[in-house]
Amino acid sequence: LTLLFGLASINTLTVISVTRYIKGCHPERGHCISNSSMSVALVLIWVAAFFWSAAPLLGWGSYTDRMYGTCEIDWAKANFSTIYKSYIVSIFICCFFLPVTVMVFSYVSIINTVKLSHALTGLGDPTDRQRRIERDVTRVSIVICTAFIIAWSPYAVISIWSAYGHPVPNLTSILASLFAKSASFYNPIIYFGMSSKFRKDIFILFHC
């Protein structure tokens, strides 16, 4: 379940970055972002997360019970089995490296577009309020993605390092794992602190 929700989280952030990229760099293609396309994206997000998290239960990869009360992928078995190593390398590439690459490309492109040109000018120019909303959403998304990358990078590096037979101190492994899993904790804090719309919706929800 930890892996399932973790993968769903990074997949969701990747999709958000792509939508920000389309709206920020290719506003003429904004019609592609519709309720139906987002519904398909949500289905794919969870299908992909379920596939990678269920694979060890079906024999491709393996889970192990850690001493500090959590179940994780058994990275050490990669030393003894090509199948286990292929799973670890595949999940690292498909579920960490590629999503991070997409997010970095998307937000760097958005920043460059804002600096070098006025992509949102001309026919169909949005209002100042719409621009401000888009800018705020993009800013929040960048911060969340950056925090996610910072949180998960040590864990990903240590996992690959361990999978190729290099020893990792238990304390280092524990700290990297706990730090990675804390990523879901500060997402709502970032939203609440940086998004006035999010705060407004929360206040309405709880009748404040």
Side-chain angles (χ1 to χ4, degrees):
L1 289 176
T2 301
L3 183 62
L4 173 66
F5 291 121
L7 294 178
S9 178
I10 194 171
N11 290 343
T12 302
L13 291 175
T14 305
V15 171
I16 290 175
S17 70
V18 172
T19 60
R20 295 295 96 208
Y21 170 75
I22 293 174
K23 285 198 169 188
C25 299
H26 301 283
E28 71 280 1
R29 299 181 183 177
H31 64 276
C32 297
I33 304 174
S34 61
N35 289 337
S36 58
S37 63
M38 288 298 98
S39 297
V40 172
L42 286 172
V43 170
L44 293 177
I45 284 170
W46 285 98
V47 168
F50 183 80
F51 168 78
W52 289 106
S53 58
L57 302 178
L58 302 177
W60 189 31
S62 176
Y63 286 116
T64 186
D65 185 18
R66 297 296 185 186
M67 294 183 294
Y68 47 94
T70 184
C71 179
E72 296 179 357
I73 295 173
D74 191 348
W75 312 102
K77 280 190 176 180
N79 297 320
F80 314 105
S81 171
T82 303
I83 294 177
Y84 291 140
K85 181 174 290 187
S86 68
Y87 172 75
I88 292 172
V89 173
S90 297
I91 197 172
F92 175 81
I93 294 174
C94 297
C95 300
F96 180 77
F97 181 76
L98 288 180
V100 167
T101 301
V102 171
M103 285 189 281
V104 171
F105 170 79
S106 297
Y107 289 119
V108 168
S109 298
I110 291 171
I111 292 172
N112 288 337
T113 299
V114 171
K115 284 184 177 181
L116 301 178
S117 65
H118 299 283
L120 299 178
T121 58
L123 187 62
D125 184 34
T127 64
D128 290 338
R129 181 176 177 275
Q130 289 174 320
R131 287 186 183 182
R132 186 169 61 255
I133 291 174
E134 291 292 332
R135 185 175 62 250
D136 290 344
V137 171
T138 299
R139 183 165 53 91
V140 172
S141 301
I142 291 174
V143 172
I144 288 179
C145 288
T146 302
F148 193 95
I149 292 171
I150 292 174
W152 280 96
S153 292
Y155 183 72
V157 171
I158 286 177
S159 300
I160 289 293
W161 185 264
S162 175
Y164 278 90
H166 303 288
V168 177
N170 286 335
L171 181 60
T172 303
S173 177
I174 291 172
L175 291 177
S177 178
L178 295 179
F179 190 55
K181 292 173 183 177
S182 69
S184 60
F185 168 72
Y186 35 77
N187 279 357
I189 295 178
I190 294 173
Y191 270 115
F192 192 84
M194 298 185 64
S195 175
S196 58
K197 184 179 184 304
F198 184 81
R199 288 195 299 271
K200 181 180 178 181
D201 291 342
I202 288 293
F203 293 151
I204 293 175
L205 179 65
F206 290 101
H207 305 288
C208 295

